[in-house]
């Protein structure tokens, strides 16, 4: 992985008023090797590219670590955190390699064992240095446990707690957030119990909800507040929400629903002392598995999120209209991937 500097109007925007734990003026790190940047670089003649580059490519989003690579991960993290520190920005990093990710035993299924996962998480933490960072630990890991028996669930919860503790021990300037699912998933009492089992009060700085989902921000904050109340409102536990695709709220399915829109761009200006940030955790334009292969960057999905949001998207030449049906929702969220050219289903190496 080669990290190079790239400037962004969104990453280096005007100072902001903080709502939660981050100071006013906090800026997020823009990863130059993201899937959307890879697509932009190789598709400059595509009529969708200018809008995608400016409305998505120039906006900081999370960097996911999804491969069990204990010999490489520390170096990868070190490059990112050092570059972010040099720029005066905060990277958002996601650990996503717990065994049986999404209750799947087929690749990618996560680390080979809980012990291996904990070792991998420790290696990740060792690359952080003493830089400011946001670390999101295992989206869905505490929410989706239907495939686990009681012993396996307890082991997973413990491993998530271990990962959070490892990050704090290695980098006291990092803030850690554990999985809270979303407001349409588990009842807050259930999610609170799992968070408690993962020792969220001592191993994390808060909880994160709506990752890869589309639910309205207000509903998520209310749900997260209920979870914290069920936990006894532990001192210091805060909230972050994924707003990458929730501009029009939820759709009819979790999988590439039509009519969705970009949400609020990443910011610490939440106006709520309990809410640390709104983040783009899921990469906008990354397919859930219905419009294109899961994890693939799909430019038509990306353009649809732009077109359906405030301000819409530029009108394309008539000759391009037939090739952008998905921008108006056609063929999206039908439960089956349309027959797209291979280039539109390209997944950047190293991205989920």
């Amino acid at each position: 992985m080669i990290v190079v500097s790239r400037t962004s109007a969104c990453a280096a925007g005007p100072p902001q008023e903080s709502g939660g734990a981050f100071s006013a003026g906090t800026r997020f790190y823009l990863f130059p090797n993201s899937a959307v940047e890879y697509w932009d670089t190789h598709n400059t003649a595509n009529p969708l590219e200018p809008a995608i580059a400016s409305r998505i490519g120039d906006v900081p989003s999370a960097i996911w670590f999804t491969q069990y690579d204990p010999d490489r991960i520390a170096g990868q993290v070190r490059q990112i955190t050092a570059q972010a520190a040099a720029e005066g920005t905060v990277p958002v990093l996601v650990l996503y390699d717990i065994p049986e990710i999404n209750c799947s035993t087929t690749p990618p299924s996560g680390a080979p064992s809980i012990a291996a996962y904990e070792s991998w998480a420790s290696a990740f933490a060792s690359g952080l240095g003493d830089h400011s960072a946001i670390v999101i630990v295992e989206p869905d890991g505490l929410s989706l446990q239907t495939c686990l028996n009681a012993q396996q669930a307890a082991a997973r919860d413990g491993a998530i707690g271990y990962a959070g503790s490892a990050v704090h021990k290695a980098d006291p300037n990092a803030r850690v957030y554990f999985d809270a699912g979303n407001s349409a998933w588990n009842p807050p009492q259930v999610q609170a119990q799992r968070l408690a089992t993962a020792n969220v009060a001592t191993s994390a700085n808060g909880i994160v909800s709506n990752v890869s989902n589309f639910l309205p921000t207000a509903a998520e904050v209310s749900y997260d507040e209920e979870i914290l109340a069920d936990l006894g409102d532990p001192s210091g536990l805060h909230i972050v929400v994924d707003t990458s695709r929730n501009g029009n709220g939820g759709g009819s399915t979790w999988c590439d629903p039509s009519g969705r829109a970009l949400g609020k761009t990443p910011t610490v200006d939440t106006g709520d002392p309990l809410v640390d940030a709104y983040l783009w955790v899921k990469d906008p334009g990354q397919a859930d598995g219905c419009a294109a292969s899961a994890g693939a960057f799909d430019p038509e999905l990306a353009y649809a999120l732009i077109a359906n949001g405030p301000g819409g998207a530029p009108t394309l030449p008539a000759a391009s209209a037939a090739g952008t049906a998905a921008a108006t929702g056609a063929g999206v969220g039908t439960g089956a991937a349309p027959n797209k050219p291979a280039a539109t289903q390209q997944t950047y190496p190293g991205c989920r």
Side-chain angles (χ1 to χ4, degrees):
M1 177 185 295
I2 299 174
V3 179
V4 296
S5 178
R6 180 185 175 198
T7 60
S8 165
C10 294
Q16 301 166 326
E17 295 183 5
S18 174
F22 293 97
S23 62
T26 296
R27 298 175 295 129
F28 296 113
Y29 175 66
L30 181 67
F31 186 45
N33 295 335
S34 67
V36 65
E37 173 63 14
Y38 182 86
W39 183 85
D40 282 338
T41 301
H42 292 81
N43 292 274
T44 55
N46 190 303
L48 307 183
E49 193 274 338
I52 291 174
S54 62
R55 298 283 296 279
I56 296 176
D58 283 347
V59 180
S61 59
I63 305 161
W64 290 65
F65 293 83
T66 66
Q67 297 179 0
Y68 180 70
D69 49 359
D71 297 330
R72 299 175 60 237
I73 190 169
Q76 293 174 336
V77 174
R78 190 173 296 114
Q79 278 192 295
I80 291 168
T81 55
Q83 183 64 48
E87 296 176 1
T89 58
V90 176
V92 180
L93 312 175
V94 182
L95 286 175
Y96 190 70
D97 203 43
I98 202 79
E100 294 188 273
I101 289 173
N102 287 331
C103 282
S104 172
T105 56
T106 58
S109 59
S113 68
I114 290 294
Y117 174 81
E118 292 180 348
S119 177
W120 178 80
S122 292
F124 166 91
S126 71
L128 291 169
D130 60 356
H131 306 306
S132 179
I134 291 175
V135 178
I136 294 172
V137 180
E138 299 301 326
D140 298 351
L142 295 175
S143 300
L144 181 58
Q145 299 191 349
T146 53
C147 61
L148 308 177
N149 60 37
Q151 182 178 3
Q152 291 169 326
R156 171 179 287 193
D157 296 344
I160 289 172
Y162 176 92
S165 294
V167 169
H168 277 157
K169 184 179 295 185
D171 182 3
N173 292 313
R175 288 188 64 83
V176 178
Y177 300 87
F178 284 177
D179 166 43
N182 62 65
S183 58
W185 202 341
N186 295 319
Q189 307 95 292
V190 171
Q191 201 67 25
Q193 179 57 51
R194 294 178 184 177
L195 285 157
T197 305
N199 296 315
V200 65
T202 56
S203 299
N205 300 99
I207 60 178
V208 56
S209 71
N210 207 42
V211 173
S212 300
N213 217 293
F214 307 86
L215 299 171
T217 302
E220 290 304 293
V221 172
S222 295
Y223 172 72
D224 295 337
E225 289 174 342
E226 289 187 62
I227 290 175
L228 295 182
D230 284 324
L231 286 167
D233 286 320
S235 176
L237 285 191
H238 285 197
I239 295 164
V240 297
V241 177
D242 184 356
T243 59
S244 59
R245 307 188 295 177
N246 73 345
N248 280 346
S252 58
T253 173
W254 65 268
C255 188
D256 298 325
S258 62
R260 301 311 93 206
L262 295 174
K264 188 174 183 63
T265 53
T267 182
V268 299
D269 183 14
T270 66
D272 187 332
L274 201 59
V275 181
D276 287 345
Y278 302 134
L279 303 174
W280 282 12
V281 183
K282 173 79 170 185
D283 292 326
Q286 189 179 68
D288 299 319
C290 293
S293 301
F297 178 76
D298 187 310
E300 292 180 352
L301 278 178
Y303 196 80
L305 292 170
I306 298 168
N308 294 330
T315 301
L316 298 176
S320 302
T324 59
T328 59
V332 179
T334 60
N339 184 21
K340 294 180 179 292
T344 69
Q345 298 196 29
Q346 193 166 31
T347 303
Y348 181 75
C351 296
R352 71 187 179 97

